[in-house]
Amino acid sequence: MKNDLQKRENWTTRLGFILAAAGSAVGLGNIWRFPYVTGTNGGAAFLFIYLIAIILIGYPLMVTEMTLGRKTQRNPVGAFKALAPNTPWWLVGGLGVLTGFVILSYYSVVAGWSLAYIFKALGGFVPEMAFGEVFTDHITGVGVPIFWHAVFMALTIGVISAGVVKGIQRAVKTLMPILFILLVVLIIRSLTLDGASEGLRFYLSPDFSEITAQTFMDAIAQAFFTLSLGMGAIITYGSYLSEDANIGDNAAYVVGLDTLIAVMAGLAMFPALFALTDVSPDAGPGLTFITLPAVFAEMPLGSFFGFIFFVLLSIAALTSAISLLEVVVAWAVDEKDIERKKASIIVGIIIFIVGIPPVLGYSAWSDFSFLGFDVLDTYDWIANSIFLPLGGLLTAVFAGYVWKARNLADEANKVGGVINIGEWYGFLVKIVVPIAIAVVMVVTIAQTLM
């Protein structure tokens, strides 16, 4: 096997890494899932608990995965092999690679919907459109959804095959600023609509009487899932960090930027929802492809702003997708000694094929049901309810009890920065994080099976 420590690429700038890691975290979970989960849980009260969960659970896990990658300069499997040789702990890294593979297979399908809606917006959103039927007609097709799934995977493969610096870093340095600018444009348009103040009040003025046990569960789950934790992406990106990078500060920048984008997405959506529709903010996942086009149809220059939104959503999806594909490709390059471009194409094609059943789940395979889920939701449930939390839980246990929290803190603190990884880290990663993830995982699975 080649000497990866000699040939491995590194991020050439700190900004490049931060934007790449934040891009991995910023995806459909921020622009699509966060607003509807917030709406379902009462708005501002959920936002308050979510921010606490980000600090107590998301940040220490981000530090953990980033440090594991930087220390070993390896993919998730190689990282655990290096720190716990001749033990089964490498299987945790293997779970991360598998999770990235599964998530990207159906993530690409949904991202393909977003690409298609860019062109639907260009065709015009008008109040008379039956938006529910438009969406149903799209996803129940066969050729068209597969085509957009293929286009999105081709874009992802193209970025990854170019490498860490020329591919990922160059792409995110362009895409992330564009994403931010488009989001600001949508926020300005949303806040200047008549009646926007009611949506702003719902989103930013907490009513703590709305808080339930489910609110805490959803906040912890969203904080965990939105940061791309438990799937090997941050370990992989951390492996391209140089020795002079400060982990504590870099992790804070990534977590902060991801959280900022999620909060901004809510600012773009809720004022417009309250101003232009009588749809409840807890309308669920349909907010993106049914409710929001209806909102844009009622808005001056609505098709233009709809176009901006779906470009924004597609960019967010792409920045996450490249990190998911990179996890699997890095494993193939490191562990199987396959050349990067060849690995990107082979792995990408396999993932595309595995993603075809979720497409057919709304047409030819619409009769499929697993625990009441269709094909795409089955993929999502397995990945998000089992693989992701299990990977995060075992990573926290490994860092806290096997490699030892003190060793990880020393590695993270090698280069001084504003944030010092102190005793608080050990308490969080050994006790708070595992318990919180375990509770969310067990309750989520139990609720599904009951």
Short mmCIF file of all heavy atoms in Angstrom, two decimals, residues 418-442:
data_model
loop_
_atom_site.label_atom_id
_atom_site.label_comp_id
_atom_site.label_asym_id
_atom_site.label_seq_id
_atom_site.Cartn_x
_atom_site.Cartn_y
_atom_site.Cartn_z
N VAL A 418 -8.06 30.43 20.42
CA VAL A 418 -8.95 31.12 21.35
C VAL A 418 -9.63 30.11 22.28
O VAL A 418 -9.78 30.35 23.48
CB VAL A 418 -10.02 31.93 20.58
CG1 VAL A 418 -11.00 32.57 21.54
CG2 VAL A 418 -9.34 32.99 19.71
N ILE A 419 -10.04 28.97 21.72
CA ILE A 419 -10.76 27.96 22.50
C ILE A 419 -9.81 26.85 22.93
O ILE A 419 -9.13 26.25 22.09
CB ILE A 419 -11.93 27.36 21.68
CG1 ILE A 419 -12.90 28.47 21.29
CG2 ILE A 419 -12.64 26.28 22.49
CD1 ILE A 419 -14.04 27.99 20.40
N ASN A 420 -9.77 26.57 24.20
CA ASN A 420 -8.95 25.48 24.74
C ASN A 420 -9.86 24.30 25.07
O ASN A 420 -10.89 24.45 25.73
CB ASN A 420 -8.21 25.94 26.00
CG ASN A 420 -7.32 24.85 26.56
OD1 ASN A 420 -6.34 24.45 25.93
ND2 ASN A 420 -7.66 24.37 27.75
N ILE A 421 -9.49 23.12 24.59
CA ILE A 421 -10.28 21.92 24.86
C ILE A 421 -9.87 21.41 26.25
O ILE A 421 -8.86 20.72 26.40
CB ILE A 421 -10.05 20.84 23.79
CG1 ILE A 421 -10.26 21.43 22.39
CG2 ILE A 421 -10.97 19.65 24.03
CD1 ILE A 421 -11.62 22.03 22.17
N GLY A 422 -10.66 21.76 27.26
CA GLY A 422 -10.31 21.48 28.65
C GLY A 422 -11.10 20.34 29.25
O GLY A 422 -11.64 19.47 28.54
N GLU A 423 -11.22 20.35 30.58
CA GLU A 423 -11.89 19.27 31.31
C GLU A 423 -13.36 19.14 30.91
O GLU A 423 -13.94 18.05 30.97
CB GLU A 423 -11.79 19.52 32.82
CG GLU A 423 -10.36 19.44 33.37
CD GLU A 423 -9.76 18.05 33.21
OE1 GLU A 423 -10.52 17.05 33.28
OE2 GLU A 423 -8.54 17.97 33.00
N TRP A 424 -13.96 20.26 30.52
CA TRP A 424 -15.37 20.23 30.11
C TRP A 424 -15.58 19.25 28.95
O TRP A 424 -16.65 18.63 28.84
CB TRP A 424 -15.83 21.63 29.69
CG TRP A 424 -14.99 22.25 28.59
CD1 TRP A 424 -13.92 23.08 28.75
CD2 TRP A 424 -15.16 22.07 27.17
NE1 TRP A 424 -13.38 23.43 27.52
CE2 TRP A 424 -14.14 22.83 26.54
CE3 TRP A 424 -16.06 21.36 26.39
CZ2 TRP A 424 -14.00 22.89 25.16
CZ3 TRP A 424 -15.92 21.41 25.00
CH2 TRP A 424 -14.90 22.18 24.40
N TYR A 425 -14.57 19.12 28.10
CA TYR A 425 -14.71 18.22 26.95
C TYR A 425 -14.89 16.78 27.40
O TYR A 425 -15.76 16.04 26.89
CB TYR A 425 -13.49 18.33 26.03
CG TYR A 425 -13.45 17.25 24.97
CD1 TYR A 425 -14.26 17.34 23.84
CD2 TYR A 425 -12.66 16.11 25.13
CE1 TYR A 425 -14.26 16.33 22.89
CE2 TYR A 425 -12.66 15.11 24.19
CZ TYR A 425 -13.46 15.22 23.07
OH TYR A 425 -13.47 14.21 22.14
N GLY A 426 -14.07 16.33 28.35
CA GLY A 426 -14.17 14.97 28.85
C GLY A 426 -15.54 14.67 29.41
O GLY A 426 -16.12 13.59 29.16
N PHE A 427 -16.11 15.61 30.18
CA PHE A 427 -17.44 15.42 30.76
C PHE A 427 -18.49 15.27 29.67
O PHE A 427 -19.36 14.39 29.74
CB PHE A 427 -17.77 16.60 31.68
CG PHE A 427 -19.19 16.60 32.18
CD1 PHE A 427 -19.61 15.70 33.14
CD2 PHE A 427 -20.12 17.50 31.66
CE1 PHE A 427 -20.92 15.69 33.59
CE2 PHE A 427 -21.43 17.51 32.11
CZ PHE A 427 -21.83 16.59 33.08
N LEU A 428 -18.40 16.12 28.66
CA LEU A 428 -19.41 16.10 27.60
C LEU A 428 -19.30 14.83 26.75
O LEU A 428 -20.29 14.15 26.48
CB LEU A 428 -19.28 17.34 26.71
CG LEU A 428 -19.64 18.68 27.36
CD1 LEU A 428 -19.40 19.83 26.40
CD2 LEU A 428 -21.10 18.69 27.82
N VAL A 429 -18.07 14.49 26.31
CA VAL A 429 -17.92 13.38 25.37
C VAL A 429 -18.07 12.02 26.05
O VAL A 429 -18.45 11.03 25.40
CB VAL A 429 -16.56 13.48 24.64
CG1 VAL A 429 -15.41 12.90 25.47
CG2 VAL A 429 -16.62 12.79 23.28
N LYS A 430 -17.81 11.95 27.34
CA LYS A 430 -17.92 10.67 28.05
C LYS A 430 -19.31 10.43 28.63
O LYS A 430 -19.72 9.28 28.82
CB LYS A 430 -16.88 10.60 29.18
CG LYS A 430 -15.45 10.54 28.67
CD LYS A 430 -14.44 10.75 29.78
CE LYS A 430 -14.37 9.55 30.71
NZ LYS A 430 -13.25 9.70 31.69
N ILE A 431 -20.04 11.51 28.93
CA ILE A 431 -21.33 11.35 29.62
C ILE A 431 -22.49 11.96 28.84
O ILE A 431 -23.43 11.26 28.44
CB ILE A 431 -21.25 11.98 31.04
CG1 ILE A 431 -20.17 11.27 31.86
CG2 ILE A 431 -22.61 11.89 31.73
CD1 ILE A 431 -19.90 11.90 33.20
N VAL A 432 -22.44 13.27 28.61
CA VAL A 432 -23.58 13.98 28.03
C VAL A 432 -23.88 13.50 26.61
O VAL A 432 -25.02 13.15 26.27
CB VAL A 432 -23.34 15.50 28.03
CG1 VAL A 432 -24.48 16.22 27.31
CG2 VAL A 432 -23.21 16.01 29.46
N VAL A 433 -22.86 13.49 25.75
CA VAL A 433 -23.07 13.13 24.35
C VAL A 433 -23.57 11.69 24.18
O VAL A 433 -24.58 11.47 23.50
CB VAL A 433 -21.78 13.37 23.52
CG1 VAL A 433 -21.94 12.83 22.10
CG2 VAL A 433 -21.45 14.86 23.49
N PRO A 434 -22.91 10.68 24.78
CA PRO A 434 -23.42 9.30 24.59
C PRO A 434 -24.83 9.10 25.11
O PRO A 434 -25.65 8.44 24.46
CB PRO A 434 -22.42 8.45 25.38
CG PRO A 434 -21.18 9.26 25.47
CD PRO A 434 -21.65 10.69 25.56
N ILE A 435 -25.14 9.67 26.28
CA ILE A 435 -26.47 9.50 26.84
C ILE A 435 -27.52 10.16 25.95
O ILE A 435 -28.57 9.57 25.65
CB ILE A 435 -26.54 10.08 28.27
CG1 ILE A 435 -25.72 9.22 29.23
CG2 ILE A 435 -28.00 10.18 28.75
CD1 ILE A 435 -25.63 9.77 30.64
N ALA A 436 -27.24 11.38 25.51
CA ALA A 436 -28.20 12.11 24.67
C ALA A 436 -28.46 11.36 23.37
O ALA A 436 -29.62 11.19 22.95
CB ALA A 436 -27.69 13.51 24.39
N ILE A 437 -27.39 10.90 22.70
CA ILE A 437 -27.56 10.19 21.44
C ILE A 437 -28.29 8.87 21.65
O ILE A 437 -29.18 8.50 20.88
CB ILE A 437 -26.19 9.94 20.77
CG1 ILE A 437 -25.54 11.27 20.36
CG2 ILE A 437 -26.36 9.06 19.54
CD1 ILE A 437 -24.15 11.11 19.79
N ALA A 438 -27.93 8.15 22.72
CA ALA A 438 -28.57 6.86 22.99
C ALA A 438 -30.06 7.02 23.23
O ALA A 438 -30.88 6.24 22.72
CB ALA A 438 -27.90 6.20 24.19
N VAL A 439 -30.44 8.04 23.99
CA VAL A 439 -31.86 8.27 24.28
C VAL A 439 -32.61 8.59 22.99
O VAL A 439 -33.69 8.02 22.73
CB VAL A 439 -32.02 9.42 25.30
CG1 VAL A 439 -33.48 9.85 25.39
CG2 VAL A 439 -31.51 9.00 26.67
N VAL A 440 -32.06 9.49 22.18
CA VAL A 440 -32.73 9.85 20.92
C VAL A 440 -32.86 8.63 20.02
O VAL A 440 -33.92 8.38 19.42
CB VAL A 440 -31.94 10.97 20.19
CG1 VAL A 440 -32.48 11.16 18.79
CG2 VAL A 440 -32.03 12.27 20.96
N MET A 441 -31.81 7.85 19.94
CA MET A 441 -31.82 6.67 19.07
C MET A 441 -32.86 5.64 19.52
O MET A 441 -33.67 5.17 18.71
CB MET A 441 -30.42 6.04 19.06
CG MET A 441 -30.29 4.82 18.16
SD MET A 441 -28.60 4.17 18.21
CE MET A 441 -28.79 2.71 17.17
N VAL A 442 -32.86 5.32 20.80
CA VAL A 442 -33.78 4.32 21.33
C VAL A 442 -35.23 4.78 21.19
O VAL A 442 -36.10 4.02 20.74
CB VAL A 442 -33.46 4.00 22.80
CG1 VAL A 442 -34.55 3.14 23.42
CG2 VAL A 442 -32.12 3.29 22.90
#
